[in-house]
Amino acid sequence: MEAERGGGTAVAGKLRVFLGAAPGVGKTYAMLREGRRLRGAGVDVVVGLVETYGRHGTAGQLRDLPVLPRRPVPYRGVELTELDLDALLARRPALALVDELAHTNVPGGRNEKRWQDVRELLDAGIDVATTLNIQHLESLNDVVEQITGVAQRETIPDDVVRAADRIELVDLSPQALRTRMAQGEVYAPDRIDVALDHYFRAGNLGALRELALLWLADRVEEELADYRARHGIRAPWETKERIMVALNGAPQGEHLIRRGARTATRVHGDLIGVHVRLDDGTAEREPPDLAPQRELLRELRGTYVEVSGGDVARTLVDFARSESATQLLLGPTGRSRLRELVSGSVINRVIRLAGPIDVRVLPPPEPGLLTVPSEPRRRRPALVPVRRRRLAWLLGPAGAVALTWALSPLRDSLGLSGVLLCQLLVVAGTARLGGLLPAAGSTAAGALAADYFFTTPWHSLTVERGADVAALLVYLAVAGVISHLIDGLTRRSQQADRARAEAAVLTRLAGETVESGPRVLPDLVAELRQVFGLDGAAVLVRAGEAVWEPAASAGAEVPSGPDEASFSVDLGDGAVLVLRGAPLTEEDTRLLGPYVTQLKLARERARLAAQASAAEVLAHTDALHTALLEAVGQDLRAPLAAVRRAAGHVPGPAGQRIGVEAERMERLVASLLDLSRLRAGVMPVVLRPTAVAEVVRAAADGVPGVRVDLEPGLPPVLADPGLLERAFADLLALGAAGDPVVVDAGVVAGRVDVRVTIHGGQAASDVGTASTVVQGFVEAMNGELAVEETPGGGTSYVISLARAVT
């Protein structure tokens, strides 16, 4: 940026911004310290305008810096001061220090905002150092108001700050800033308590600090992207992990998104989901699974992007480079082998084009590790055992050929039809023994043998007569039908046998559950291994990262983890059922479901039994605790009453002091007894809309030195009036005689906070028992109690209660 000055060309000045998360972090101090350092190095530095707010440390940094006098501005009968822009332009220093960039000028000046004054200085070639709080940025104004409950009237466009040549974050932890605040280094003493309880709460400061860091990180990222674009750098720089997930609308896309989200969370990176829409001119319909995957991305704080391209692989890689992605996650291909041969593999092309980008091809989710598969891969049910099928293949075709050869001497009397009818017996026997395929082999072998021995010309596979061709075709059809029917009947018979066995197992499981409840875990695992004929079975419980401990096991070859198992089922709560042995069929998985249910019931029963045992011990302990407190209370009341009576006979202030302390001890004993009754559930708590002012004044009645400063119109809270009055009375009693006590209240983040400040009283560490009793009372009303040190000595107790809905 350049400006014409007196016929010459002046290079624009450079802007340096000291950015802070909140007032008091030391932005002005850091700016002045840098100005003093540069002045010591020979740079012409002038303080155009600085606000010290009476802070001695900040004012001390001004001691050897030249300060430009401010310009007086009359406004509504009052004389105010502003930056003297004309004098600063005439002075033309090398560096001007101008505080509070977002400040609004007094009406009547040349510019409405101070940042506009700063822009004139920059156009004149003067470097400027300034300060700014993150809450004044226009884009974050509503977010800051939502966090702190305070609307910022002075804002500045983000572009003005982003155009700065240098932005430095002046950082201070929330606790350190609150400590500075409590020590009076930021605000005057009369504003400290209100500030700590409202804007400068630890949660507010932490959120503002995170906003400042994130905004500055985005700005740094933009600068890095501009630098790479200017220098033509296309290879990704792994300054931040960016996990990109390729989505084509397939069902396994949700699995990819979740895996990518877990990886992004571990490395504190970004998650981006990308769908490539082909731009080949065809009207491509959106896959039905893509909409829920977009929603899942939003739930997992990811970003969805849709790009167009004619080459899916190159479009994915180009977009990954443009976003500086460090990892690209792909799902398994859905293309057939033939289509891959014709069109090529997208996965292979992505791997070749990716270069330094890590490409991960994830397998589809293993259904057995997630739940019992309700729809496993279907196979023909009740397969014939391998031994029988092999025997059928051996005997069926050979038997058909041997039978035809044996009947060949009877060729003239038996004929082709007779031998084919005999062949049907062999086909039926083969189908019964080995199933459909061996029967088909026997049929083919029998037809060829009959043609060879029983049709003219003899001993050849040629058929002369049409009647013989028809007979052979009818034979093939009848043999096929018979084979299919016999195979189906055999399978149905085997299915019926298995169904009877499953029904027996299910009936026994259900009967035992109804009769005696969920069974013991080891018995179930042992029975499951025996029923399915497995080498090993176990229920494993996660004990750490990739560490499993067996809760129950059976068999000689027990898997030590899901990776070693041939089948796994998630039981919930970090437990998994692992099986090792022959692969399970569809019928096996159907029967496995009830066993999984029984295993879950057994684990739940064990958990409930442990909870019941712990609850019984806790109830016994509470009963003993309550009985002990009541006994102690009864034993203490009598001697305390005697002490109070004896104190009446002691002359002077000593007797009065003894009486006061004895009365205070009696009240503490009564509060402890009430607290024990509350925790035991004997003493009811009735929550209803309650006026805080009435309760506080009732508790403060008769207590000397208490000043109640409650705002008019304070909303009612949801509390038990009697219990709340007891809490305030116990807090007010913590102050020693003559100690000033101040009670104020306000609405903070939708709740009503009541602060009891005891100046000069006991330290927070010396009132443990009393504050514990009050905390118990407050928590019984769903409230919170905070104890804080007060600057100058003393303690502040903040009771936070929910507002009543009226």
Side-chain angles (χ1 to χ4, degrees), residues 403 419-429 475 478-480 482 486:
L403 177 63
V419 75
L420 292 178
L421 188 61
C422 294
Q423 290 284 6
L424 290 177
L425 294 175
V426 177
V427 172
Y475 162 73
V478 173
I482 291 175
I486 293 176

Side-chain angles (χ1 to χ4, degrees), residues 451-711:
D451 180 17
Y452 187 82
F453 288 107
F454 281 83
T455 62
T456 55
W458 314 116
H459 303 119
S460 71
L461 297 180
T462 304
V463 182
E464 291 181 344
R465 298 189 304 167
D468 292 342
V469 174
L472 289 172
L473 292 176
V474 170
Y475 162 73
L476 291 174
V478 173
V481 171
I482 291 175
S483 300
H484 179 73
L485 291 175
I486 293 176
D487 178 71
L489 290 174
T490 302
R491 293 176 181 274
R492 297 297 182 274
S493 176
Q494 293 179 356
Q495 279 185 313
D497 293 340
R498 184 178 182 88
R500 283 193 295 271
E502 290 181 5
V505 171
L506 295 176
T507 302
R508 178 167 48 79
L509 285 174
E512 291 175 351
T513 302
V514 172
E515 181 179 353
S516 58
R519 300 172 59 193
V520 181
L521 199 62
D523 295 344
L524 279 170
V525 174
E527 181 179 315
L528 186 148
R529 188 195 71 83
Q530 185 177 5
V531 167
F532 292 100
L534 301 169
D535 298 330
V539 173
L540 304 179
V541 179
R542 187 182 294 276
E545 187 67 25
V547 178
W548 300 86
E549 291 183 354
S553 61
E557 300 180 12
V558 178
S560 59
D563 296 338
E564 299 180 6
S566 56
F567 196 84
S568 303
V569 181
D570 185 18
L571 300 178
D573 296 330
V576 61
L577 171 66
V578 291
L579 308 176
R580 174 179 287 175
L584 299 182
T585 64
E586 180 184 354
E587 291 80 5
D588 292 334
T589 57
R590 190 167 56 243
L591 181 59
L592 185 62
Y595 274 102
V596 171
T597 302
Q598 287 288 325
L599 290 171
K600 291 181 178 179
L601 288 174
R603 282 181 47 78
E604 182 67 15
R605 184 183 187 187
R607 186 183 64 83
L608 292 176
Q611 288 183 352
S613 177
E616 184 178 354
V617 173
L618 184 60
H620 179 71
T621 303
D622 285 344
L624 184 61
H625 176 70
T626 302
L628 180 62
L629 279 177
E630 290 181 351
V632 172
Q634 294 295 336
D635 292 341
L636 284 177
R637 281 175 177 171
L640 285 174
V643 169
R644 190 149 49 88
R645 286 194 301 270
H649 301 290
V650 178
Q656 295 178 359
R657 182 66 177 175
I658 293 173
V660 170
E661 294 298 331
E663 184 177 354
R664 179 178 174 183
M665 182 63 72
E666 286 182 341
R667 186 164 52 248
L668 180 59
V669 170
S671 297
L672 283 172
L673 291 175
D674 288 343
L675 180 59
S676 67
R677 296 189 185 99
L678 275 175
R679 291 180 173 174
V682 178
M683 184 176 175
V685 178
V686 181
L687 302 179
R688 62 174 182 268
T690 304
V692 175
E694 297 178 3
V695 175
V696 171
R697 291 189 177 93
D701 187 23
V703 181
V706 177
R707 189 178 84 241
V708 179
D709 294 337
L710 298 181
E711 302 174 1

Side-chain angles (χ1 to χ4, degrees), residues 72-75 77-81:
V73 180
Y75 179 70
V78 180
E79 187 175 273
L80 305 176
T81 60

Side-chain angles (χ1 to χ4, degrees), residues 175-217:
Q175 190 56 46
L177 181 55
R178 284 174 60 85
T179 301
R180 290 190 62 192
M181 181 77 65
Q183 293 171 353
E185 298 180 8
V186 180
Y187 288 160
D190 58 340
R191 298 177 57 190
I192 292 176
D193 291 343
V194 177
L196 288 174
D197 200 30
H198 293 79
Y199 192 91
F200 287 84
R201 298 176 68 170
N204 292 355
L205 296 177
L208 292 174
R209 186 187 189 197
E210 184 177 3
L211 276 179
L213 291 170
L214 291 175
W215 189 90
L216 193 60

